[in-house]
Amino acid sequence: AQKITQTQPGMFVQEKEAVTLDCTYDTSDQSYGLFWYKQPSSGEMIFLIYQGSYDEQNATEGRYSLNFQKARKSANLVISASQLGDSAMYFCAMREGFSGGYNKLIFGAGTRLAVHP
Amino acid sequence: DAGITQSPRHKVTETGTPVTLRCHQTENHRYMYWYRQDPGHGLRLIHYSYGVKDTDKGEVSDGYSVSRSKTEDFLLTLESATSSQTSVYFCAISDFMLPISTTNEKLFFGSGTQLSVL
């Protein structure tokens, strides 16, 4: 069964506007972590943001925020004020269980975001 | 940036030949992982290690073996490469660090190896 679902293969947004990338997950664990990574055309994987299942506040990192809706099992990434450099592939990922530094992640298929001037 | 070096960065090989990819880290992290990236599948875990000589299978381990004889090196071997193993391979590392922070919840990735099996 697919654990992480990203239903948008591709998205586009106008520069300076906000965009939401969708991610839903499936787990029976009470403790888990949700991640977003960015992969620009150069290929490296860049960590963006993390949300723990017990965190009550939505995570934020600069222009990135994670809209965590536990009951719906969704962890959408919101990018505010999009920039041309945000054009990339974005992956949602999940770690089941407590970390302790051990992070065996399950990834979604990714969403390719294009930012238009 | 985490000190992770993958070698080679690019490799073209023929079906049936053995291939070894190397991941070297300078962070002394306990956990190491090999992922492959394919369009439509995201990244899928091949094998991982939780210490020297301690390894286990991931989601897509068939056709792959690994070895970790030193903390800093994690080798991925394709015993007899097939065209279905054409992919981008990523090594990643993680560990528990003090002070406690979000850093403990991260995977740090290498730059990837593009492998083409003809």
Side-chain angles (χ1 to χ4, degrees):
Chain A
Q2 195 160 3
K3 298 273 192 174
I4 296 285
T5 303
Q6 295 180 252
T7 57
Q8 308 152 314
M11 291 274 290
F12 69 88
V13 64
Q14 291 293 127
E15 194 178 9
K16 299 180 184 176
E17 294 190 347
V19 62
T20 297
L21 306 184
D22 294 341
C23 174
T24 58
Y25 60 92
D26 182 29
T27 182
S28 56
D29 281 357
Q30 295 302 308
S31 177
Y32 53 90
L34 296 156
F35 304 73
W36 279 92
Y37 279 83
K38 172 185 178 181
Q39 186 179 46
S41 58
S42 54
E44 72 263 39
M45 295 290 289
I46 301 169
F47 169 81
L48 294 179
I49 198 165
Y50 167 79
Q51 178 88 39
S53 59
Y54 291 113
D55 295 339
E56 294 185 353
Q57 303 269 14
N58 284 346
T60 60
E61 293 281 351
R63 294 186 298 111
Y64 304 107
S65 60
L66 198 152
N67 184 0
F68 181 45
Q69 298 189 40
K70 198 169 184 177
R72 293 186 174 185
K73 293 189 174 180
S74 75
N76 298 339
L77 177 70
V78 180
I79 305 175
S80 63
S82 298
Q83 302 172 355
L84 296 179
D86 293 334
S87 294
M89 182 72 91
Y90 289 81
F91 291 100
C92 179
M94 176 177 67
R95 181 209 69 243
E96 292 178 301
F98 173 69
S99 169
Y102 172 56
N103 282 309
K104 194 170 73 169
L105 298 190
I106 304 163
F107 285 81
T111 295
R112 184 168 298 281
L113 176 67
V115 180
H116 294 174
Chain B
D1 290 344
I4 308 170
T5 304
Q6 289 187 234
S7 58
R9 290 296 313 277
H10 303 273
K11 186 169 183 66
V12 180
T13 191
E14 293 185 349
T15 299
T17 58
V19 177
T20 295
L21 308 183
R22 182 182 184 232
C23 178
H24 178 78
Q25 58 139 332
T26 58
E27 305 295 324
N28 201 36
H29 280 13
R30 183 183 331 171
Y31 307 108
M32 299 185 76
Y33 315 78
W34 277 107
Y35 283 86
R36 61 176 288 173
Q37 181 180 9
D38 304 289
H41 292 279
L43 279 76
R44 292 178 292 174
L45 183 65
I46 305 171
H47 281 280
Y48 60 98
S49 170
Y50 41 94
V52 173
K53 297 187 180 178
D54 290 324
T55 65
D56 207 346
K57 296 179 180 180
E59 179 188 359
V60 290
S61 59
D62 287 349
Y64 301 95
S65 62
V66 290
S67 66
R68 191 169 178 199
S69 58
K70 297 184 289 185
T71 298
E72 57 266 35
D73 289 326
F74 193 32
L75 304 181
L76 176 70
T77 298
L78 292 66
E79 300 290 347
S80 178
T82 67
S83 58
S84 65
Q85 294 175 311
T86 291
S87 187
V88 179
Y89 291 85
F90 283 98
C91 175
I93 65 174
S94 68
D95 206 338
F96 182 81
M97 291 167 278
L98 293 173
I100 295 174
S101 72
T102 303
T103 301
N104 290 330
E105 310 292 350
K106 285 184 187 180
L107 277 187
F108 298 94
F109 284 88
S111 300
T113 294
Q114 173 68 61
L115 176 67
S116 298
V117 184
L118 305 179

